[in-house]
Amino acid sequence: MADGIGDLTFASEEWVAQAGQVLGAAVEKHAGGLADLGRITLCEVAHNPPAYLHAGASLAWHAHFGGPSVSVHAGELSPEACDLKIQGDHSIMSNLGRIRFHGRDPKVVAAAQARLQKLSRWEIDGSVPEHPALAAVLRSLHDAMAERTMPRFVWMTPEWVSCARHIVSTRAASEKYADGIKNIVYAFAEEFTDTPRYAFPDGAHGGFWIRCDHGEVTVGAGPLPEGLQPADTLTKGVYTPVVPVGRTVNAAMTDPEKAEQADYTRAAFRREESTGEPPVSQTSPSGKGPMPRELARILVPLHDELSKRTSGELPADYDLDVKPAWALPLSFDRDAGYDPSWLRYDEFDIYGEPRG
């Protein structure tokens, strides 16, 4: 995939505006080769976009090519108005959009595409003629937007943690924060059990950990390794009930959404009758107590920035043995028009392997 973690949501208005600039420049560069192209219209529709955008059940964009000219717009067109219309799940299309061609091993690129293409249901109407200049233009668009497009990974998986690693390590190394953590030794961990098999096919616990050792910050996936324990702050619990509250973009929540989230939290995090324990708890196994303020400052944007890069499925969409209190979709977490059938996690895990 492209370097970094992107800054634009695929097919959002901001993304479309940037894509229009990129396409315009590419068309100008290849104007001679496009002279005989004729009129071509392409449209992509991404279902189940991030809920925090309040964009409805889909985002879409389209481009009209007319020989050596192009116009790019947000919105969906009918199949009859397009030469080629492609529809799929927003999270999968986002991740496909992150794959770069230039400078990459073609075999690795093909393997990444094949894996991701299995994971969405696709609706493809029409086709475009083979045209070398058009292919070059579209590849230029893809590679340029790969850097800008935000990925969307399943919550607490290793790929999701890679986004956390980028955010935390970049901020920790910045001039603004580096000096403040140079004497801090502290380990923070989140660990979640009973993970869904489509995301954790080997049954591993989900989660991530952050260790600061005199200013050197390491971010890892999964439970805190034995050699680094005990954690100074540990959040541990069951995966499924935390998913909806673990991927909220708090800065974008409306007051009704905040109220619904509070109601859900009270119901979902009640103490279990059999054990007397809540499904999630936070402790300080080392006894060191709260995170130092200088380190905590680095993590301030982490929740919201990770939530923007989190996919929208629920374990209950693909696994039937989820408690009713944890199974219902919630409006603060995803749009009422969200359609789980655009993902194929009932058939494949996130790595593209058939589910047993």
Side-chain angles (χ1 to χ4, degrees):
M1 287 194 173
D3 296 332
I5 57 173
D7 65 329
L8 299 175
T9 298
F10 175 70
S12 64
E13 290 188 3
E14 296 82 2
W15 187 97
V16 173
Q18 182 64 31
Q21 294 182 29
V22 172
L23 264 182
V27 165
E28 183 177 353
K29 177 181 177 180
H30 294 280
L34 293 169
D36 63 347
L37 177 63
R39 300 189 65 81
I40 297 288
T41 297
L42 310 177
C43 179
E44 289 188 321
V45 184
H47 295 271
N48 306 330
Y52 79 92
L53 294 176
H54 302 103
S58 65
L59 287 172
W61 74 285
H62 59 274
H64 300 290
F65 292 88
S69 66
V70 66
S71 62
V72 178
H73 310 275
E76 180 178 355
L77 299 177
S78 68
E80 294 75 22
C82 306
D83 295 281
L84 176 63
K85 180 176 181 179
I86 299 173
Q87 301 186 65
D89 177 79
H90 187 278
S91 64
I92 304 304
M93 295 178 80
S94 297
N95 295 342
L96 280 166
R98 291 279 301 164
I99 297 173
R100 287 199 66 184
F101 294 96
H102 181 75
R104 300 300 198 262
D105 183 336
K107 291 183 179 179
V108 174
V109 169
Q113 290 176 316
R115 167 196 164 186
L116 288 167
Q117 286 165 355
K118 293 178 186 177
L119 304 183
S120 177
R121 173 167 65 88
W122 300 97
E123 289 187 10
I124 301 175
D125 294 288
S127 62
V128 294
E130 291 188 10
H131 193 285
L134 178 61
V137 165
L138 294 177
R139 182 165 292 197
S140 295
L141 170 69
H142 190 97
D143 273 8
M145 295 308 295
E147 299 281 353
R148 303 296 305 273
T149 301
M150 289 194 285
R152 294 185 66 205
F153 297 126
V154 175
W155 190 67
M156 288 290 166
T157 58
E159 290 174 314
W160 183 91
V161 175
S162 71
C163 294
R165 182 177 300 114
H166 178 89
I167 295 167
V168 174
S169 59
T170 300
R171 286 172 63 83
S174 70
E175 185 176 339
K176 182 176 181 179
Y177 299 112
D179 191 62
I181 61 173
K182 65 184 179 182
N183 295 316
I184 291 176
V185 178
Y186 198 89
F188 162 92
E190 294 191 352
E191 181 180 349
F192 298 96
T193 66
D194 303 280
T195 51
R197 289 304 176 98
Y198 64 82
F200 301 86
D202 60 355
H205 291 187
F208 74 113
W209 52 271
I210 301 169
R211 178 173 166 79
C212 178
D213 187 348
H214 294 89
E216 296 297 322
V217 174
T218 305
V219 181
L224 183 67
E226 191 68 32
L228 298 180
Q229 293 196 33
D232 300 309
T233 295
L234 172 64
T235 299
K236 187 169 183 178
V238 181
Y239 181 95
T240 297
V242 187
V243 171
V245 296
R247 62 187 181 197
T248 54
V249 178
N250 294 325
M253 291 186 76
T254 64
D255 288 339
E257 288 172 340
K258 292 176 183 177
E260 185 189 33
Q261 181 189 22
D263 290 342
Y264 168 78
T265 300
R266 282 191 293 270
F269 294 169
R270 287 196 184 106
R271 294 179 181 273
E272 298 282 353
E273 291 184 7
S274 58
T275 65
E277 298 293 330
V280 180
S281 63
Q282 188 173 83
T283 60
S284 178
S286 71
K288 191 176 286 188
M291 182 181 295
R293 183 177 63 87
E294 295 82 2
L295 181 58
R297 289 171 61 207
I298 293 172
L299 306 190
V300 166
L302 189 61
H303 176 90
D304 277 12
E305 290 303 316
L306 286 174
S307 295
K308 293 175 184 177
R309 295 164 176 85
T310 304
S311 54
E313 79 294 323
L314 287 171
D317 294 334
Y318 310 104
D319 291 327
L320 300 178
D321 57 347
V322 174
K323 290 176 59 174
W326 303 344
L328 292 177
L330 301 152
S331 61
F332 74 81
D333 181 51
R334 64 188 198 184
D335 186 80
Y338 184 99
D339 183 355
S341 74
W342 283 104
L343 286 169
R344 300 177 67 193
Y345 292 151
D346 55 336
E347 302 175 65
F348 298 96
D349 63 35
I350 62 172
Y351 303 103
E353 297 297 326
R355 292 186 63 184

